[in-house]
């Protein structure tokens, strides 16, 4: 069966520090991968998606970037965190663009 | 632009009640609609996926219906239990504007008390 792992579960980082959140999927090949952010009191916002290695699409301009160095690995990064980057980050995968999506357990990021 | 609305925003019911959560979307051109459950501080758990050609899907005590032409979906929970307490989110996958994304509603926060 397929599983998705996200880490770390929680992270407290100072303003201006770098960020790296990692997501890996097991049990499937060539998944579509997604990064979402859930801000307090707001819905989920799609940040990035990837349909293959090295193929990244950005939904909104922001202080973040994403990379897909391996087929089942998706990384969310920032060179310098802002206070507004605080939130709950969720990684997700689907077998194809229009099939069921599955989410990881999320990373709670607090920028102080 | 596709927008998803969920009503009510919050719901508190006694154990054993049957209840209905509502989801509406503005553009009927969708590939599918998915219902999720989110416990506090946790990720999303997929409950049901309804393809655009389907009218409903069932899983245990859960039944989701889809009326694509009117832009509505309902999640029916039978014989609610305290363990059903969570936030329920619906999301649509639009045909246009990037079918790789899911557009989410803000969720319905459900509390089932003994």
């Amino acid at each position: 069966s397929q599983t998705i792992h996200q880490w770390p579960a929680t992270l407290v980082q100072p303003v201006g520090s770098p960020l790296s959140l990692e997501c890996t999927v097991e049990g499937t090949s060539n998944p579509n991968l997604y990064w979402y952010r859930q801000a307090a009191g707001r819905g989920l916002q799609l940040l990035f998606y990837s349909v293959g290695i090295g193929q990244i699409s950005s939904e909104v301009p922001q202080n973040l970037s994403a990379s897909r160095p391996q087929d089942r690995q998706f990384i969310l990064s920032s060179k310098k965190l802002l206070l507004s980057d605080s939130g709950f980050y969720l990684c997700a995968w689907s077998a194809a663009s229009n099939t069921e999506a599955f989410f990881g357990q999320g990373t709670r990021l607090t920028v102080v | 632009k596709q927008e998803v609305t969920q009503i009510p925003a919050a719901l508190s019911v006694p154990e054993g009640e049957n209840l209905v959560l509502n989801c509406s979307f503005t553009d009927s051109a969708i590939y599918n609609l998915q219902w999720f459950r989110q416990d506090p501080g946790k990720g999303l758990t997929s409950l049901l996926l309804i393809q655009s050609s389907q009218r409903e899907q069932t899983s245990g005590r859960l039944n989701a219906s889809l009326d694509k032409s009117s832009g509505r979906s309902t999640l029916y929970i039978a014989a609610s239990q305290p363990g059903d307490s969570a936030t329920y989110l619906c999301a649509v996958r639009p045909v246009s504007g990037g079918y790789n994304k899911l557009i989410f509603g803000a969720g319905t926060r459900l509390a089932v008390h003994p």
Side-chain angles (χ1 to χ4, degrees), chain A residues 34 38 59 97-98 100-101, chain B residues 32 34 38 46 93 100-101:
Chain A
Y34 309 84
Q38 186 176 36
E59 279 295 301
S97 299
N98 59 347
E100 191 172 6
Chain B
N32 55 50
Q34 197 168 350
Q38 185 176 29
S46 178
R93 200 183 287 272
N100 281 291
K101 69 172 70 175

Side-chain angles (χ1 to χ4, degrees), chain B residues 75-89:
Chain B
L75 179 67
Y76 176 82
I77 303 177
S80 58
Q81 303 170 359
D84 294 330
S85 299
T87 296
Y88 290 81
L89 298 159

Side-chain angles (χ1 to χ4, degrees), chain B residues 45-104:
Chain B
T45 300
S46 178
L47 298 174
L48 290 164
L49 172 75
I50 310 178
Q51 298 291 353
S52 61
S53 59
Q54 297 175 321
R55 298 286 291 183
E56 65 178 330
Q57 283 285 342
T58 298
S59 176
R61 294 183 294 108
L62 304 179
N63 176 279
S65 67
L66 174 65
D67 184 344
K68 195 176 72 165
S69 61
S70 68
R72 294 180 181 177
S73 176
T74 60
L75 179 67
Y76 176 82
I77 303 177
S80 58
Q81 303 170 359
D84 294 330
S85 299
T87 296
Y88 290 81
L89 298 159
C90 74
V92 300
R93 200 183 287 272
V95 171
S96 61
Y99 55 81
N100 281 291
K101 69 172 70 175
L102 284 168
I103 308 295
F104 282 85

